Each structure stands twice: as structure tokens, then as C-alpha cells.
Amino acid sequence: MLRQVCCSGFQPFRQRLLPWLQSTALSRSHRVQSSAIRHVRSWSNIPFITVPLSRTHGKSFAHRSELKHAKRIVVKLGSAVVTRGDECGLALGRLASIVEQVSVLQNQGREMMLVTSGAVAFGKQRLRHEILLSQSVRQALHSGQNQLKEMAIPVLEARACAAAGQSGLMALYEAMFTQYSICAAQILVTNLDFHDEQKRRNLNGTLHELLRMNIVPIVNTNDAVVPPAEPNSDLQGVNVISVKDNDSLAARLAVEMKTDLLIVLSDVEGLFDSPPGSDDAKLIDIFYPGDQQSVTFGTKSRVGMGGMEAKVKAALWALQGGTSVVIANGTHPKVSGHVITDIVEGKKVGTFFSEVKPAGPTVEQQGEMARSGGRMLATLEPEQRAEIIHHLADLLTDQREEILLANKKDLEEAEGRLAAPLLKRLSLSTSKLNSLAIGLRQIAASSQDSVGRVLRRTRIAKNLELEQVTVPIGVLLVIFESRPDCLPQVAALAIASGNGLLLKGGKEATHSNRILHLLAQEALSIHGVKEAIQLVNTREEVEDLCRLDKMIDLIIPRGSSQLVRDIQKAAKGIPVMGHSEGICHMYVDSEASVDKVTRLVRDSKCEYPAACNALETLLIHRDLLRTPLFDQIIDMLRVEQVKIHAGPKFASYLTFSPSEVKSLRTEYGDLELCIEVVDSVQEAIDHIHKYGSSHTDVIVTENEKTAEFFLQHVDSACVFWNASTRFSDGYRFGLGAEVGISTSRIHARGPVGLEGLLTTKWLLRGQDHVVSDFSEHGNLKYLHENLPVPQRNTN
């Protein structure tokens, strides 16, 4: 399965040679005389040569999302990735994982190439073993004793280690790739193989032939014969990149083979603006040519020839040649098992090199602006925050025509692509905007005494007083689907609570969200806090946003249960406040009023079936079967064209029944309803606890004792008596609006309004107090007296 080729001696596949790049891009430096093709950039005080390459495969990808289209890919494995921590031997687990990922991509029809280190480390391990074995035999013969003396291992020369380790390294690759039915071929190169015209053609022909035969070429510098590298010799020619280390080798190979993507794996997450581990070091998500001055480099890796500076030089050289580049961590145990496939899928991993700089800020910059803007917002007087919200409410009505026109564009583009319930969510109207304005004014009124409200006061000791006060959570990320009316609601709640806000809306509401966000920023501008609310318009996927744990304090999803589950799964260290599903129940008791039941069922199920607070399961007491009340319920559902699914017990009572439900844990989100029979209120409660989602559950009965038993024993966020499930809403609760409905048991629960977006902090005011004064031999004692709390303004 393994084919070994030494580039200095192989014969080319003459019949299949492809045209070479123009000589101005690839010839040796002494051939290039004209300064017209030289564009020198200052890069970390080292001249950087930019070469205008003639590329047939087009330019590099502008965005991460395009990486999924990469056909030909080079993966460079740094020494720190391949070798163990002791630099003697290979990290077999990581290597096996990398081989698996490369094999997966190869079997998808991509053309994969590996540039690998590791021969020196593998050879060092073998030679150390041989030396120890040899010394032990000699010492045993010389001393005639069984006990061996302390043996010193000589310093091993790198070229000898490479010669001893190369065959073993390739044998290991062969064994691993064979598990995936993939053939691998070894190619050893030196700098001369790129500078000699014939050798370069031979190398090119061999690589193309291997790729044509679906073989993975594994390329390495021929360290057994290569001369020692000269410091800073990389990229110093006029238009030539020297093969100093495997970073420059991978870049040279990627450009010459016209690859779409070069993945450089090392032992750091990517490129930082200052040395990793230093204070305030930030990972650079996207790096653009010309941004070099903003980066300060540290020392090189613990192993290998190239540090990050060498990697960046090689990456920029490859980028100019039309190859996209990502530098990422290949050693982290939690991500190394899928780092390569994640990069190819376009996920936010490592540092992506792009020549296309976006017009607007990055999402990281937006997060920082939301943080600083939110802190300024929190310092405003309550009247000033209320004034901003009132102004936003006025704008919703004053700019009604512009808003509805933008919404019309969204509806026209969504026609035929979205289901009817989603189109209804997407649609705005004059009445909706008026209701929004009313809700915002309610929020403004309730915001007068929110941030900075004293919850508790304690006198710890004389002249030492403690207060617990409300403060904003920080930066909120709200992800919502379809509903553009969500944007001004959430914006008003964030303003009232003094939180910074990142908004990520669905593509189907792009035009509506854009104008509503501009109106929110216009309102914020009256007190100079425009940047507190940011709308994410970049191509970031939801999963990528969920990884910004250093910028976001709370994620609030508003959308389908699938969206909520995806976000909860993707969130990395960021709390998520939301409900997994809206499986709402209504229990019709044996003492229910005939007049009330049909009204409540119709409103709960039919008024807005796509809402998360719509009725999904109707529980009916067994005594009501075959009664006029039961017939009225069925007739009403039939008139409303509600499809009925029968629960197992309900189906057993009927000779001819609707199809039996597949699952009692179903959120239909449409005109469909499950009906099940129970024998008592306790059985109804047990059913709700087993199959419900702790969202909203209702009892319909005239028996107050039964109702109170239900209200006290059902463990859901909202529990109602003789009321529609649709009342589970922030606006209807008098909160003005909601950021979502939470079914979690930590922090806020149910419709989350202004109060749910606040946390607390402790303020201690003293006069030269120290803890030692309160010790056993101190002169002070703790008082812990409760002090009166200022009355809250409830107007």
C-alpha cells in the first residue's frame, strides 16, 4: 500500500504532466530582474515579498463558510502535533485521529495531501533504545556484573535520527490509512527539488498522478540529507520561498499544486495579537494581509524549526498564491479529534487568513462594543433609559410605512419557501406595531426602579454596612427566528435592564430586522449609547456565536425547539435560558363547566397553533367520555379542522378512532392535537410530569379544591386554572414584553421580562475595618442587623 519516492531520483509521469506556473512566479531568484513584479510589504520589520501569481484555480476563499467547497487540501502537521511531550516518540492517539479525519475527507471525494514532521522524534526514540541496549551489553561483558552502571546517552544528531525514523514513521501511516482502505505514498523533498526546473516538474507530475489514483501523498523534508537551516532564510528570495521548515514546505507545496486550502496544525489555537498566555492576548479569528503591525510574536514552539511568525509568513505567501489558510490547534484533546473536519465545514476554528476585509466590524468587535455600550447604558439615570425606550416606541409608529415596506420585501422573498405558520410569524402589521409600542411604554414605566434597586441591607458592625443591589447580567445574545417583532421587544428589555445586546435574526427577516435595528440605535443615540445593541450581519453560524464565552454572558434562543436544542448543545461555557419544547397540556376535570371548556380549548389550540404556548395534549377525565361535553369538544375541533391523534388509553375506548399517537411527547406547532384519557387529577399530574416540558399546563374545573391541588402539585413554569394556555406571555403578564420563556429551574422561569435580565452584586461600606478585629481576641463583634430597604417605586 505504501509507495516511497525520493524526489532527486524519480522519473516523471511524462504523459500526464500539467502546465506549469509562469516563470515569473516560480523561477529561481536570479531569473527575476524586473522590479515591476516585486511588491515589498513591511512585516514585523522584515521585508516581505509579494508575488503576483497567475493562478488558474481562482482566488482564495473570502469567507469560512466557503471552505466546505475546498476540493484539494494540504494538512500540515507540526512537530508539536506529531511528537509526544518528551519529544521522543510519536503522539499515537493524535496521529490516529488526524488520519481518521483525513480519510473521511478523502472518502468524500476530496484530494488530501499531508506534510508531516515526526521522523526525527521517531528516530530519536529508536536510536536511544538501540544505544541503551548496546551499552548494557558492553557494560555487562566488561564488568562481569549483572548490575549496570549509570549510562549516559549521547546527544543524537538530527539527520541520523531522521534517517532512522523515516521508515518507521511511514510504516505507521501506512498501517493507519489501511484501516480506511486508503493508500498512502511517501515523498521526500529538499530545497533543490523546488529550485531545479526538472526536479520541480518531476515532483509536480508525481503528485498529480498520485492524486489521480486516489492516493494520499505524505510529504516531508528529507532531513537525513538536508543542510542545517539558516536563521530567517524563509521567504527571502525575490519570488522564492525556501524550504527551511515544514511550514514553508507546506506553503510551497500548496501553491505549486494549486490547492484550495492549507490547514496548519500546531500546539496553539491560532494567531494571537500578542504571545499566547500573556495578559490580554486575544485570538485573531480572521487575519488580513496588512494587519501584521497589530501582532507581537513570542518565542517559537517547544519543538520544530518554525514559530508562529514563520507560520504567518508561510500562510500569507500561500494566500497570495490563491490558497486559503487556517492555522489551528492540533493538540487539544477536546478538539483535535475533529479539528480538520470542523475547519472544512466552515466552523470557527483557529485563525482564517482572508484577502477580503469586511466593510463592517467582526462579531468579536461587535461583542466588545456591546460590552462597553452596555456598561455606559447601565450608568444612565432610570429616566434616561426610559426616555430611550419611549423614543423607540414613537419611532415604531412614526416610521410605520418604512417598516412595513421592508417587511413586505421579506414576505415576498419567503413566499413558497416558508410554511404558513412561519409566514404568519414573519408578518408585521399596523396593529402589531401599535401593540409593540404599547408594550414598550409598559417596559419604560417598569424600568424606573430596576437597575440599582436595593434588595437587602445589613449592618455587619458599627459603621460597616452591606447592600445587595440589582445590576445587569452583562452582554446578552438573543437568537430568534422569523419574528422581527422580537427585535424591538428584546431591545427595550435590554435597555431597561442596562444590558449590552447582540441580536442574531433569521435570514428570512433580513430587511425587517435591519430597519428595526437602525431605529433602536437611533433611539439609543439620544444619550450616546448607540453601540449597546448590535445586529450580527456577518456569516457567523449560530454554533460559532455560542463559542464566544469571553464576550457573552447569557444566550436566549427564541424559536423552534430544535433551535433551542442546537444552541444548548453548541454553547461552550455560556448559560442558555430557554425552553426545549412547548408541550402544553390542558386537563378537563369531571367537574368542568360545559360553557368554559370549548372556549378554552379553541383559544389554546386554534388561536395561534405555531406558538410555543399553544395546547398540544388534551387530557380528559374518563367520566366525560360519551357525554355532551365530550361531543362538543370533538365537534369544535372538527369545525376548526384540527387533526386528532389518540393516546393509547383513549384509543382503547373507541371502536373506530383516529390513528394512535406515535409519541406523547410531541410538539405539533400546527392544527394537530393529542387526546388522552385519565382517571383522576393525580393521573393527569403524573402524565404531565412524565410527558410534558414544564412550560404551561392548565386545569379546567369548577371544583376549587381540585384546582388548588393541581396548581400546587404541577411542577411547570406556568400553571393555570380555567384560563387559556396562550396567556403564558410576557406582554399578557404585564411585563411589557419578554425575551423568551424559560423552563429551567435556575434564575428566571416562565416568561422572562425585565426582572429576569438582572443579577445582583454586594456593596460594602466601611471605615478602616479589618477581619482581624473580629477574631477571638479582637475588639469588635458582628452585629448582622437587618436594615430597612428603600421602598420600591411601583408607579
Side-chain angles (χ1 to χ4, degrees):
M1 295 288 286
L2 183 68
R3 306 187 180 174
Q4 182 170 334
V5 183
C6 181
C7 290
S8 60
F10 62 71
Q11 293 296 318
F13 294 90
R14 300 183 182 275
Q15 300 89 336
R16 299 183 179 88
L17 282 178
L18 299 180
W20 258 126
L21 301 174
Q22 295 180 358
S23 60
T24 56
L26 294 174
S27 63
R28 287 167 293 179
S29 59
H30 69 270
R31 287 190 176 184
V32 180
Q33 303 296 331
S34 174
S35 62
I37 65 171
R38 305 181 198 176
H39 304 279
V40 180
R41 291 179 184 171
S42 176
W43 191 86
S44 189
N45 299 321
I46 300 175
F48 185 79
I49 310 302
T50 304
V51 184
L53 297 175
S54 175
R55 306 292 293 169
T56 59
H57 69 300
K59 295 183 178 180
S60 59
F61 296 123
H63 306 283
R64 283 185 185 269
S65 58
E66 298 171 343
L67 294 180
K68 60 176 67 76
H69 303 301
K71 170 74 173 177
R72 184 173 292 176
I73 302 171
V74 171
V75 178
K76 184 265 177 180
L77 308 180
S79 299
V81 176
V82 177
T83 63
R84 298 194 318 232
D86 61 2
E87 303 174 26
C88 182
L90 303 180
L92 297 179
R94 286 201 295 265
L95 208 56
S97 176
I98 289 167
V99 167
E100 180 180 20
Q101 295 173 77
V102 170
S103 300
V104 167
L105 295 173
Q106 180 80 4
N107 288 328
Q108 288 177 357
R110 305 180 197 268
E111 297 175 342
M112 305 298 297
M113 290 181 279
L114 279 182
V115 175
T116 182
S117 302
V120 173
F122 203 172
K124 185 185 294 185
Q125 184 184 39
R126 291 184 62 184
L127 291 181
R128 278 186 175 182
H129 177 77
E130 292 298 325
I131 291 171
L132 285 172
L133 182 62
S134 174
Q135 287 182 345
S136 65
V137 172
R138 284 200 303 270
Q139 287 190 5
L141 291 175
H142 178 74
S143 62
Q145 301 174 1
N146 292 329
Q147 188 172 4
L148 301 179
K149 297 178 182 179
E150 181 110 5
M151 292 177 290
I153 299 177
V155 176
L156 300 175
E157 206 276 334
R159 285 195 289 266
C161 291
Q166 189 65 42
S167 60
L169 176 65
M170 292 310 302
L172 184 61
Y173 274 120
E174 176 188 12
M176 289 180 173
F177 275 111
T178 300
Q179 301 301 313
Y180 302 95
S181 301
I182 290 177
C183 179
Q186 177 186 11
I187 295 181
L188 297 175
V189 297
T190 64
N191 213 8
L192 184 61
D193 296 309
F194 290 100
H195 293 167
D196 182 271
E197 190 74 21
Q198 184 60 47
K199 292 179 183 294
R200 199 168 74 245
R201 288 177 179 172
N202 293 351
L203 174 61
N204 179 268
T206 299
L207 288 170
H208 277 89
E209 182 69 4
L210 293 173
L211 295 177
R212 187 191 68 81
M213 293 188 295
N214 200 34
I215 295 172
V216 175
I218 301 177
V219 185
N220 196 358
T221 52
N222 194 347
D223 293 324
V225 298
V226 70
E230 298 177 7
N232 296 324
S233 64
D234 241 9
L235 303 162
Q236 294 305 299
V238 176
N239 66 335
V240 178
I241 180 171
S242 64
V243 181
K244 164 190 169 184
D245 53 42
N246 279 347
D247 295 318
S248 47
L249 168 61
R252 182 65 186 257
L253 180 69
V255 171
E256 296 219 0
M257 291 300 294
K258 301 186 177 76
T259 57
D260 303 307
L261 173 62
L262 167 61
I263 299 174
V264 179
L265 297 184
S266 183
D267 57 352
V268 291
E269 276 67 33
L271 175 61
F272 288 77
D273 58 0
S274 56
S278 61
D279 292 341
D280 301 323
K282 294 180 181 178
L283 178 66
I284 299 174
D285 171 44
I286 306 177
F287 189 79
Y288 307 97
D291 286 354
Q292 296 91 327
Q293 299 299 331
S294 64
V295 179
T296 302
F297 293 99
T299 58
K300 72 179 186 69
S301 170
R302 63 176 175 83
V303 290
M305 292 295 299
M308 184 54 70
E309 189 168 6
K311 290 175 176 56
V312 173
K313 288 181 182 179
L316 290 173
W317 194 88
L319 187 66
Q320 293 167 11
T323 296
S324 295
V325 184
V326 175
I327 297 177
N329 191 337
T331 64
H332 196 290
K334 291 185 178 180
V335 299
S336 59
H338 46 81
V339 60
I340 298 173
T341 50
D342 278 356
I343 290 171
V344 176
E345 289 173 10
K347 294 182 180 178
K348 206 164 192 174
V349 179
T351 300
F352 172 63
F353 287 71
S354 174
E355 292 188 302
V356 180
K357 200 163 189 174
T362 66
V363 69
E364 289 82 6
Q365 292 170 331
Q366 286 186 295
E368 291 176 357
M369 288 189 288
R371 173 78 69 190
S372 59
R375 285 172 175 162
M376 292 176 61
L377 182 64
T379 62
L380 297 179
E381 294 297 324
E383 295 78 11
Q384 293 175 306
R385 289 193 294 271
E387 185 182 356
I388 294 172
I389 300 171
H390 276 296
H391 188 46
L392 177 57
D394 293 338
L395 288 172
L396 290 178
T397 53
D398 295 344
Q399 304 294 325
R400 178 173 53 248
E401 297 302 325
E402 290 82 355
I403 296 170
L404 295 179
L405 183 61
N407 185 245
K408 183 181 178 182
K409 292 181 181 179
D410 287 326
L411 289 170
E412 290 173 349
E413 293 176 6
E415 191 69 39
R417 295 191 298 109
L418 292 182
L422 292 179
L423 281 174
K424 187 176 180 181
R425 287 187 178 189
L426 179 60
S427 175
L428 293 175
S429 63
T430 299
S431 61
K432 268 190 178 182
L433 293 176
N434 289 336
S435 296
L436 278 173
I438 294 171
L440 263 58
R441 292 188 178 98
Q442 289 180 356
I443 295 172
S446 63
S447 70
Q448 294 293 326
D449 189 23
S450 56
V451 180
R453 177 163 52 90
V454 180
L455 301 179
R456 176 176 176 174
R457 294 180 65 220
T458 305
R459 179 176 287 121
I460 304 297
K462 185 179 178 181
N463 296 325
L464 183 64
E465 294 187 1
L466 178 69
E467 284 185 347
Q468 184 184 20
V469 300
T470 57
V471 293
I473 289 175
V475 175
L476 313 176
L477 168 62
V478 178
I479 302 170
F480 57 101
E481 296 176 325
S482 298
R483 293 178 52 180
D485 54 324
C486 172
L487 194 152
Q489 290 178 333
V490 174
L493 288 169
I495 294 166
S497 58
N499 284 289
L501 180 62
L502 281 175
L503 292 160
K504 175 65 173 176
K507 295 178 182 177
E508 66 280 356
T510 298
H511 302 292
S512 305
N513 289 337
R514 184 179 295 118
I515 188 170
L516 290 171
H517 174 246
L518 289 174
L519 295 179
Q521 289 201 316
E522 182 178 338
L524 288 162
S525 296
I526 65 175
H527 287 297
V529 287
K530 175 183 177 181
E531 294 182 341
I533 296 179
Q534 300 286 326
L535 180 65
V536 178
N537 289 315
T538 55
R539 297 194 180 195
E540 260 73 22
E541 299 294 333
V542 169
E543 185 175 346
D544 295 330
L545 293 173
C546 291
R547 295 179 180 178
L548 301 176
D549 58 302
K550 294 182 180 178
M551 299 179 182
I552 297 167
D553 299 295
L554 179 66
I555 301 175
I556 305 173
R558 292 194 62 172
S560 66
S561 57
Q562 185 61 50
L563 171 71
V564 178
R565 283 194 297 269
D566 290 344
I567 290 173
Q568 289 172 331
K569 182 179 179 180
K572 307 296 184 184
I574 308 175
V576 178
M577 184 166 64
H579 61 88
S580 56
E581 292 171 307
I583 305 176
C584 302
H585 292 76
M586 180 179 288
Y587 166 57
V588 182
D589 186 53
S590 59
E591 298 181 65
S593 166
V594 175
D595 297 330
K596 294 177 181 177
V597 171
T598 52
R599 273 174 50 83
L600 293 173
V601 173
R602 179 189 289 111
D603 190 79
S604 296
K605 178 72 259 185
C606 308
E607 196 266 341
Y608 192 179
C612 65
N613 57 13
L615 177 63
E616 303 293 9
T617 299
L618 183 65
L619 301 175
I620 299 179
H621 194 284
R622 180 184 58 184
D623 294 347
L624 296 178
L625 290 178
R626 302 184 181 89
T627 64
L629 172 58
F630 177 77
D631 293 340
Q632 281 187 344
I633 296 173
I634 298 301
D635 290 342
M636 181 274 295
L637 293 173
R638 195 173 287 127
V639 169
E640 296 290 341
Q641 298 182 329
V642 177
K643 182 179 180 180
I644 298 174
H645 302 275
K649 288 187 68 174
F650 180 44
S652 69
Y653 282 98
L654 304 174
T655 306
F656 299 99
S657 67
S659 58
E660 186 172 333
V661 69
K662 294 181 179 179
S663 172
L664 291 169
R665 291 191 181 95
T666 302
E667 181 182 19
Y668 298 103
D670 206 345
L671 288 174
E672 298 183 55
L673 181 68
C674 172
I675 297 180
E676 182 59 309
V677 174
V678 293
D679 293 338
S680 64
V681 64
Q682 184 60 59
E683 187 176 335
I685 293 171
D686 292 341
H687 180 103
I688 290 169
H689 287 164
K690 184 174 182 180
Y691 300 109
S693 60
S694 301
H695 192 294
T696 302
D697 299 294
V698 175
I699 182 172
V700 184
T701 184
E702 296 303 302
N703 188 313
E704 182 177 354
K705 184 178 180 180
T706 302
E708 288 299 327
F709 182 85
F710 185 90
L711 293 175
Q712 296 302 319
H713 287 79
V714 171
D715 185 19
S716 295
C718 300
V719 189
F720 302 161
W721 173 22
N722 288 349
S724 169
T725 61
R726 296 277 290 117
F727 278 105
S728 182
D729 176 83
Y731 175 74
R732 298 178 185 118
F733 276 16
L735 305 178
E738 66 184 40
V739 292
I741 294 181
S742 172
T743 56
S744 65
R745 287 167 169 77
I746 299 176
H747 190 50
R749 198 175 185 205
V752 180
L754 177 57
E755 297 289 334
L757 300 181
L758 297 171
T759 184
T760 64
K761 71 178 179 181
W762 298 88
L763 305 177
L764 184 63
R765 297 179 177 92
Q767 293 182 4
D768 194 30
H769 288 82
V770 293
V771 171
S772 58
D773 287 343
F774 296 85
S775 65
E776 183 178 354
H777 303 290
N779 58 356
L780 293 178
K781 301 294 182 184
Y782 289 111
L783 299 178
H784 292 153
E785 296 176 359
N786 290 329
L787 300 175
V789 174
Q791 291 297 311
R792 183 179 181 185
N793 181 8
T794 58
N795 294 327

